[in-house]
Amino acid sequence: MAVLVVTDPESQHEAAFPPVAPSSILSRLRLETRGEHDAVEQVLDLMGGSLTHQSYRQRLEQFYGFYAPLEKALQSHGKSPPDIADRPHGAYKPPLSEAISSALAARLNKTAHLQQDLHHFGVLTDGLLLCRDLPPLGTQAEVLGCLYVMEGATLGGRMITQHVRATLGITPMTGGCFFEGYGDDTGRMWQGMRQLLVSGSTDTQAENSIVTNAITTFARLRGWCETFPKTARQRDHAPCLKT
């Protein structure tokens, strides 16, 4: 998402990174998200020959508007007050497993990377629009479905890094930190994500929820990018809120 995703995380890297134990969840995600994955790729068009510094910067603004509120929502997931009864009605979210909580802590750095890149181009993020039509994150399975999209995007991001370096002269230190992902650790982090998906698909209901929310995450990102105004501080043309 990045994408988010500009390449298929399963097929693109299957040979480079040995697969985890066979699992229907990995196959289902690859196959059932294909339509929305391809639709997002077409909207973003980050690998096309027409990419300019201006359009690249706008893509960063779009990603920031999606990732900033999404990472904030993921960070707050499972943080319960001492007395759950004090929460507003319907605000309680079941706690995440220790493995998923640890995975989130290590992975929710995309907003900071986008801020770094945008600041390099002279863009202040305080006034940028933020998406409010986010994917649901009410259950552990929904969190995993969302993470599948976010983490799969880091694989495609490495390809974008090479492309923008060659065509625009942009490096991870000069506006391309976001797409660099985890650098040399990207493959290892993706393998960890795949293991989480396998362990989290405990039954058919959980598996269905993971797949459904992965599709939803792609769709919400696509909708955000399609309606994102050419001027990121205009509020009248996109489902958004201000920072």
Side-chain angles (χ1 to χ4, degrees):
M1 149 168 68
V3 280
L4 280 312
V5 180
V6 296
T7 188
D8 186 331
E10 296 296 328
S11 60
Q12 177 75 17
H13 296 265
E14 193 169 41
F17 305 108
V20 297
S23 169
S24 66
I25 184 61
L26 300 178
S27 296
R28 285 191 62 190
L29 283 165
R30 182 174 66 252
L31 295 173
E32 295 181 40
T33 64
R34 173 82 64 179
E36 280 295 342
H37 162 271
D38 290 348
V40 169
E41 195 174 69
Q42 290 180 3
V43 170
L44 296 177
D45 192 27
L46 283 161
M47 298 293 287
S50 61
L51 188 69
T52 64
H53 281 86
Q54 181 178 352
S55 59
Y56 176 81
R57 188 193 70 233
Q58 185 180 22
R59 289 290 179 253
L60 293 179
E61 292 175 348
Q62 290 173 323
F63 284 131
Y64 181 86
F66 192 77
Y67 273 101
L70 186 55
E71 286 199 333
K72 184 176 181 179
L74 286 165
Q75 287 168 347
S76 66
H77 197 292
K79 293 182 179 180
S80 303
D83 185 356
I84 293 176
D86 292 339
R87 279 182 172 243
H89 178 67
Y92 174 67
K93 298 176 182 178
L96 300 174
S97 71
E98 183 177 348
I100 296 178
S101 295
S102 297
L104 284 175
R107 287 167 167 81
L108 298 184
N109 57 3
K110 280 84 170 171
T111 302
H113 291 171
L114 284 162
Q115 286 179 319
Q116 177 180 324
D117 291 342
L118 286 166
H119 288 171
H120 175 81
F121 291 110
V123 178
L124 300 179
T125 57
D126 289 347
L128 292 180
L129 301 177
L130 300 180
C131 177
R132 63 186 179 194
D133 190 21
L134 300 173
L137 300 170
T139 68
Q140 184 164 280
E142 288 175 338
V143 170
L144 285 172
C146 177
L147 282 178
Y148 169 79
V149 177
M150 296 177 70
E151 291 303 292
T154 64
L155 299 176
R158 301 302 302 280
M159 296 179 64
I160 295 171
T161 294
Q162 297 173 19
H163 179 67
V164 299
R165 184 194 297 267
T167 60
L168 301 177
I170 295 172
T171 71
M173 298 301 295
T174 60
C177 179
F178 173 63
F179 292 113
E180 178 67 2
Y182 306 110
D184 292 339
D185 285 334
T186 298
R188 178 183 61 81
M189 295 291 281
W190 175 243
Q191 284 298 95
M193 185 66 237
R194 296 182 74 197
Q195 292 283 7
L196 278 177
L197 289 163
V198 172
S199 62
S201 55
T202 53
D203 52 38
T204 302
Q205 181 178 355
E207 188 173 296
N208 289 341
S209 184
I210 292 171
V211 173
T212 297
N213 211 40
I215 296 170
T216 299
T217 302
F218 274 125
R220 298 288 169 85
L221 173 69
R222 175 175 55 80
W224 167 247
C225 291
E226 287 177 336
T227 59
F228 191 82
K230 291 183 178 180
T231 301
R233 296 169 193 273
Q234 292 176 350
R235 302 192 42 145
D236 299 332
H237 300 86
C240 52
L241 53 90
K242 194 175 181 179
T243 53

